[in-house]
Amino acid sequence: MSKPKPPKDLRDAGEALWGSIASKYVLRADELARLGQACKTADVLAMLEAAWAESGYPMVSKGSMGQEVIHPLIGEIRTQRGALDRALVGLKLPDDESGASVNQNRSAAQSSWAPSAARSGRA
């Protein structure tokens, strides 16, 4: 089976994430869609972090009433990191170090559809 191609509109961070996952795992269509969204989120996160760096990593900015408030990029970076984490956790990929499968639903489905000889250990 050929490796799926990344979405055409990905930037560097998204392409790197796609390559690190799509080159290791065989993913279903729904998982590829989730991976695509995670990659786009990684791109947005990289752009936000670059914008924050270019502005000198400010911690505060002026609020609507002139008061100091946390810089808006900090909150958006935090939000995008959370979105990326949730998308990646949702893929339920195996842990690289232990090799343990964490996708219990996939394991259960595969075992329930396996031939009865394979399930009983006689295969």
Side-chain angles (χ1 to χ4, degrees):
M1 177 181 267
S2 65
K3 299 286 184 221
K5 294 187 192 258
K8 294 183 188 274
D9 56 348
L10 293 183
R11 300 179 90 173
D12 291 343
E15 285 182 4
L17 179 59
W18 182 278
S20 71
I21 294 174
S23 66
K24 283 184 179 180
Y25 303 101
V26 176
L27 302 175
R28 299 182 315 251
D30 62 310
E31 293 168 328
L32 288 171
R34 181 180 289 268
L35 176 58
Q37 288 302 313
C39 292
K40 290 176 184 180
T41 302
D43 283 338
V44 169
L45 181 56
M47 288 185 280
L48 289 167
E49 289 174 340
W52 192 40
E54 288 170 14
S55 63
Y57 296 106
M59 299 305 290
V60 294
S61 66
K62 296 285 183 191
S64 63
M65 303 297 284
Q67 78 280 21
E68 285 191 343
V69 295
I70 190 166
H71 196 279
L73 285 173
I74 295 172
E76 189 56 30
I77 288 169
R78 179 177 46 234
T79 299
Q80 294 301 316
R81 284 180 180 161
L84 179 57
D85 287 346
R86 286 187 302 279
L88 294 175
V89 166
L91 284 173
K92 299 180 182 177
L93 298 173
D95 184 359
D96 282 342
E97 293 178 17
S98 71
S101 174
V102 295
N103 193 335
Q104 296 169 348
N105 294 337
R106 180 180 289 173
S107 297
Q110 288 173 342
S111 69
S112 66
W113 289 103
S116 60
R119 282 186 282 174
S120 66
R122 292 178 275 155

